[in-house]
Structures are given as structure tokens and as C-alpha cells.
């Protein structure tokens, strides 16, 4: 059901406070990424050694570049499409279908470069002069990218539109923090390998993304409209997405 919009005079005074709230949590996210992410890379480099860390970096770079080829910046589209949700505007009858359109579009566009990476993993490994056993690393890293990025842009834009940048910051912090903790534990318990490092990236990224998508979905359902596949049709989605082309 749609959330009841507060009157305009109740939302206008809150804007400066909302802006300060978003800026504060953006600083938290940046600080966490710098501290936890930097610590993670330092520990990982020390654990793997120069040669293995170089291989890991090349594999992750291949995945990152491939992912950028079809990055539609849906977080910006979602933030624009649902800006009314945080401005006291009434919910539209098809808001639930609209967010579902964008989410499914993102899943498809994340899957395409990952599938290309998997199909081209052998020539890519040769072209990058990676060790012969690095093909499986590219496949696992591609799967990790898909699981950690599918729905990320949609949920990020939605949480921004709803003024919940704190959730984004917490999920980002959790991602880098979990990578750091798991890397330290593996280093002292069983030793670190490239395979383990790639799996840690997959697990941490996936858990963080799932948490953010679920949080965004619950917030949307509570404040805007329910999300359901019942009644959703591809033809309707194509018509709704026309203006975002």
C-alpha cells in the first residue's frame, strides 16, 4: 500500500537537516572505504606476496573493466524517478512496477559482461599473461561481480531518494570490514591464496549487496508501494522504460 504523504509544510523545514544527514553519512562511507579498504589491501598484499597479489589485481581489473562496459548508472535514474517519495509527493499507481523494471534491467545488464568474461576467460588469461590456472579465477571473480552488483545501483539510488544514505554507508563499511576480517583470519589460520582471496571478495560483496537490496526493498514497501511480480509484464516494462532510454 502507498505511504501517506505528509503535508508540504512538514517536509520543507526538514530539507536542510536531510542534506546534512546525507553529507554526514557520505563522509562515513568515504572514511570507511579509505580505512577498511586500505587496510584490507595492505593485509592482502602482505599475505599473498608481490607475484600472487599482482595476479589477483589483474583478475579483478578484468572484471571491473568488463563491468563498466554496461554500467547504466541506474542509481541516478532511480534517484530521479523516485525523488517525489522524499518530497511529500503522492505515490504513483505503478511505482512498484517501475522499480521492478529498473531492478530487472540492472540484473540483465550485469549478467551480460559477466557471461562474456566467462566465455572469453581463456583468451583473456593468455592476453593478460596470467598463469595457466587463472581461468577459474576469472570465472569465480565474474560470478562474484554479478552477485555483488546486481541490484546495487537500483538499491543505492532508491536509498538516496528516500534519504537513507546511512544504510548505504553501513553496507559499504560491512563489505570492506568483512573482507579485512576474513583475510586476517585466513592468513593466521590456513594461509592466504589467490583462490581464497577471490572467494572472500565474492562472499563479502554478495552479503553486502543482498543486505542493501533487502533494506531498500523494505523501505520502499513501507514508504512508497509494494513490490510484486504479480501482474508484471515485459510489454508494460518496455513502455515505462521508454523515457529513460
Amino acid at each position: 500500500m502507498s505511504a501517506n504523504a505528509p503535508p508540504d509544510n512538514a517536509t520543507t523545514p526538514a530539507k536542510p537537516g536531510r542534506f546534512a544527514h546525507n553529507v554526514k553519512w557520505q563522509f562515513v562511507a568515504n572514511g570507511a572505504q579509505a580505512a577498511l579498504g586500505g587496510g584490507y589491501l595492505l593485509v592482502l598484499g602482505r599475505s599473498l606476496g608481490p607475484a600472487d597479489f599482482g595476479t589477483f589485481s589483474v583478475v579483478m581489473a578484468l572484471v571491473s573493466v568488463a563491468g563498466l562496459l554496461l554500467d547504466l548508472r541506474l542509481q541516478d535514474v532511480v534517484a530521479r524517478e523516485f525523488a517525489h517519495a522524499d518530497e511529500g509527493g503522492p505515490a504513483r499507481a505503478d511505482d512498484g512496477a517501475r522499480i521492478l523494471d529498473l531492478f530487472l534491467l540492472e540484473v540483465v545488464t550485469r549478467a551480460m559482461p559477466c557471461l562474456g568474461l566467462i566465455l572469453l576467460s581463456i583468451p583473456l588469461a593468455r592476453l593478460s599473461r596470467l598463469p595457466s590456472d587463472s581461468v577459474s579465477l576469472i570465472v569465480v571473480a565474474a560470478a562474484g561481480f554479478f552477485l555483488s552488483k546486481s541490484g546495487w545501483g537500483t538499491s543505492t539510488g532508491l536509498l538516496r531518494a528516500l534519504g537513507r544514505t546511512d544504510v548505504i554507508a553501513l553496507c559499504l563499511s560491512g563489505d570492506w570490514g568483512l573482507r579485512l576480517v576474513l583475510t586476517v583470519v585466513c592468513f593466521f589460520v590456513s594461509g592466504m591464496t589467490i583462490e581464497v582471496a577471490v572467494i572472500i571478495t565474492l562472499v563479502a560483496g554478495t552479503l553486502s549487496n543482498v543486505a542493501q537490496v533487502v533494506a531498500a526493498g523494505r523501505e520502499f514497501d513501507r514508504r512508497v508501494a509494494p513490490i510484486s511480480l504479480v501482474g508484471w509484464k515485459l510489454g508494460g516494462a518496455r513502455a515505462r522504460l521508454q523515457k529513460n532510454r
Side-chain angles (χ1 to χ4, degrees):
M1 63 184 165
S2 301
N4 294 323
D8 292 341
N9 59 1
T11 60
T12 303
K15 293 303 177 182
R18 176 59 53 82
F19 177 77
H21 170 86
N22 289 340
V23 170
K24 177 185 71 174
W25 282 105
Q26 183 63 55
F27 275 119
V28 171
N30 292 343
Q33 188 169 9
L36 298 175
Y40 158 73
L41 290 176
L42 288 173
V43 172
L44 183 63
R46 174 67 177 82
S47 304
L48 289 177
D52 285 351
F53 185 73
T55 299
F56 173 83
S57 299
V58 171
V59 169
M60 301 311 297
L62 287 172
V63 174
S64 298
V65 171
L68 288 173
L69 295 177
L70 278 178
D71 186 355
L72 302 183
R73 297 292 301 176
L74 287 180
Q75 57 268 37
D76 299 325
V77 177
V78 172
R80 184 196 66 189
E81 281 287 286
F82 297 96
H84 64 280
D86 195 41
E87 295 174 352
R92 296 167 296 195
D94 60 350
D95 270 347
R98 286 174 181 269
I99 193 64
L100 193 56
D101 297 341
L102 294 167
F103 175 79
L104 294 176
L105 175 63
E106 184 173 21
V107 171
V108 172
T109 55
R110 294 300 190 186
M112 292 172 66
C114 293
L115 180 60
L117 275 173
I118 293 172
L119 294 176
L120 298 174
S121 57
I122 295 177
L124 284 174
R126 292 174 179 171
L127 183 64
S128 303
R129 297 185 178 181
L130 292 171
S132 57
D133 58 349
S134 297
V135 173
S136 60
L137 295 177
I138 296 176
V139 173
V140 175
F145 179 86
F146 173 74
L147 293 173
S148 63
K149 292 299 183 180
S150 293
W152 179 87
T154 308
S155 61
T156 297
L158 192 56
L159 289 168
R160 285 177 182 171
L162 297 176
R164 294 304 309 272
T165 49
D166 56 321
V167 176
I168 301 173
L170 291 173
C171 289
L172 178 65
S173 302
D175 183 2
W176 288 110
L178 184 58
R179 293 189 196 198
L180 176 58
V181 170
L182 291 178
T183 300
V184 171
V185 170
C186 289
F187 175 69
F188 285 107
V189 173
S190 59
M192 180 59 63
T193 63
I194 308 175
E195 292 79 7
V196 173
V198 172
I199 291 174
I200 287 175
T201 301
L202 184 154
V203 171
T206 300
L207 291 177
S208 172
N209 187 46
V210 169
Q212 182 169 301
V213 169
V214 170
R218 289 180 176 176
E219 194 73 12
F220 186 89
D221 185 81
R222 182 177 67 87
R223 295 173 54 181
V224 184
I227 303 173
S228 175
L229 277 171
V230 177
W232 184 90
K233 294 182 179 180
L234 181 59
R238 293 174 59 184
R240 287 187 294 269
L241 290 171
Q242 282 295 320
K243 70 174 183 177
N244 290 320
R245 235 177 8 171

